[in-house]
Amino acid sequence: MTTNHRIALIPGDGIGAEVLPPAQQVLDVLGRRHGFSLSYTSYDWSCERYLREGAMMPADGIDQLRDKDAILLGAVGYPGVPDHESLWGLLIPIRRSFRQYVNLRPIRVFEGIDSPVRGARAGEVDFVVVRENMEGEYSEVGGRLNRGFPDEIAVQEAVFTRAGVTRLLDYAFTLASRRGGRLTSATKSNGIVHTMPFWDQLVTERAASFPQVAWDQEHIDALAAKFVLDPARFDVVVASNLFGDILSDLAAAVAGSIGIAPAANLNPERDFPSMFEPVHGSAPDIAGQGIANPLGAIWSAGMMLDHLGHPAAARDITDAIASVLAKTDIRTRDLGGTASTAELTDKLIELL
């Protein structure tokens, strides 16, 4: 029997609506090849909806997604809507309601892409950032007092729990044991006196359960420099919410273009749907021109297939991305070319 997966599509804002259709095209091609099908339900949850109705999604939005097998998101954010409204009105409620505590961001330099970093060469740079996705520096604890007065104050509390950090570390160490056997922990325990020493303590505790993984820790400032100076040295990098967010965008730039970078928001236990999204954002400056790079969304769709139990189909996607970049000169503008979104998508499907 053909397995059918129920996929929620949230195109969102800007180029989000332009990169999800190419991802769907690729998914459908692979479904026919590998013997599964996908049924899609699309939702108009976006900044446009926020301006029209005062909310990014309806009050029962989470319940509408609950029975889906996965969520594929385009991008969120648009001028005129504060970023904290769009983020906390859609992405963060989904991540937290569905306990998507792992944010997974693979980084790879493909043949045919010139990294702006001299030492980042194809075949050598291939690592993954494992970012804590539900607590850490992006907590809701805090507030503002005395608004508008000279003594106005804003307090934002970072929240690190033993359960939250431990489950992330177990995922990261397990992933490292399946990859190159190396893990780097991002810290700042020389300057952040409570949460980061606690993070370091838990890394040491969990490392004892994974003797096959060699690990070290780096202060975040030095680690950022080493991402640029020697990106090939890394295999799995595990980091808190804020550190992982910054490091993964930096790493995507090292790989040549944030337009290629994918991301997964995972509930590893599969009690709830996981969400997959390109890293590039809504890019309102190029929205509507048909020139957005679809590869980030397509690679994110590949990560979704891997999560849904189709690793061969997922490999087909990364192989096709590698082929279109190595064997053709078809590039969107972010990669130095002139191809349209549709032209790059058509060539990739042809190579599939």
Side-chain angles (χ1 to χ4, degrees):
M1 292 179 64
T2 299
T3 301
N4 180 67
H5 300 290
R6 296 161 298 176
I7 308 300
L9 296 177
I10 307 177
D13 302 300
I15 63 171
E18 300 173 47
V19 297
L20 280 202
Q24 285 179 258
Q25 288 178 259
V26 172
L27 288 170
D28 291 338
V29 168
L30 291 172
R32 291 190 293 271
R33 173 183 297 174
H34 290 275
F36 61 86
S37 64
L38 303 107
S39 56
Y40 305 101
T41 305
S42 190
Y43 300 87
D44 70 340
W45 303 345
S46 62
C47 289
E48 183 179 352
R49 186 188 190 280
Y50 176 88
L51 292 172
R52 186 176 67 246
E53 302 187 31
M56 294 291 294
M57 63 178 174
D60 65 345
I62 296 299
D63 288 333
Q64 291 187 40
L65 299 175
R66 198 176 297 277
D67 67 342
K68 304 301 185 292
D69 296 306
I71 304 160
L72 192 58
L73 174 77
V76 174
Y78 216 71
V81 177
D83 288 340
H84 67 276
E85 295 285 358
S86 57
L87 189 67
W88 285 86
L90 184 63
L91 292 189
I92 290 182
I94 292 173
R95 289 171 177 171
R96 296 188 174 180
S97 296
F98 294 145
R99 302 185 74 81
Q100 297 168 353
Y101 60 84
V102 172
N103 186 271
L104 197 64
R105 296 192 179 185
I107 306 298
R108 176 176 169 185
V109 175
F110 287 95
E111 183 180 350
I113 296 296
D114 293 327
S115 168
V117 175
R118 242 190 346 257
R121 290 179 285 271
E124 297 181 9
V125 177
D126 185 353
F127 65 95
V128 62
V129 176
V130 180
R131 166 193 171 193
E132 201 287 317
N133 209 32
M134 287 181 57
E135 51 180 50
E137 302 89 349
Y138 294 178
S139 80
E140 296 177 73
V141 180
R144 291 174 64 178
L145 297 173
N146 304 323
R147 291 175 183 257
F149 291 96
D151 58 347
E152 185 173 3
I153 182 173
V155 176
Q156 181 78 42
E157 298 285 355
V159 175
F160 287 69
T161 66
R162 175 173 286 272
V165 176
T166 296
R167 65 189 179 186
L168 179 81
L169 295 175
D170 283 349
Y171 183 94
F173 273 107
T174 300
L175 180 62
S177 70
R178 295 172 181 165
R179 286 176 49 95
R182 293 177 290 117
L183 180 141
T184 300
S185 169
T187 186
K188 191 58 182 170
S189 50
N190 60 344
I192 301 176
V193 69
H194 296 302
T195 56
M196 285 291 102
F198 179 59
W199 171 280
D200 294 349
Q201 173 192 332
L202 295 179
V203 173
T204 303
E205 289 179 11
R206 297 314 303 152
S209 298
F210 298 89
Q212 71 276 33
V213 176
W215 70 278
D216 62 359
Q217 65 185 40
E218 295 274 5
H219 292 305
I220 182 67
D221 41 358
L223 184 55
K226 291 176 183 178
F227 265 29
V228 174
L229 294 172
D230 190 15
R233 67 175 285 185
F234 299 105
D235 179 27
V236 172
V237 178
V238 65
S240 68
N241 210 332
L242 176 61
F243 291 175
D245 195 1
I246 295 169
L247 284 174
S248 54
D249 279 13
L250 171 62
V254 168
S257 173
I258 202 169
I260 296 176
N265 303 275
L266 299 178
N267 171 245
E269 295 79 14
R270 302 170 192 270
D271 296 326
F272 304 100
S274 293
M275 180 167 62
F276 304 83
E277 55 176 322
V279 174
H280 54 57
S282 59
D285 56 321
I286 63 168
Q289 299 178 42
I291 59 174
N293 189 337
L295 296 183
I298 291 170
W299 193 354
S300 298
M303 296 181 75
M304 182 181 77
L305 290 181
D306 188 59
H307 180 75
L308 292 174
H310 304 288
R315 284 193 298 273
D316 284 351
I317 286 182
T318 50
D319 288 348
I321 291 173
S323 292
V324 79
L325 294 174
K327 299 177 181 179
T328 81
D329 59 359
I330 296 178
R331 303 282 190 276
T332 44
R333 293 186 189 182
D334 61 302
L335 297 175
T338 59
S340 68
T341 306
E343 287 168 340
L344 182 52
T345 303
D346 290 345
K347 189 62 180 180
L348 184 137
I349 290 175
E350 178 187 321
L351 292 172
L352 274 175

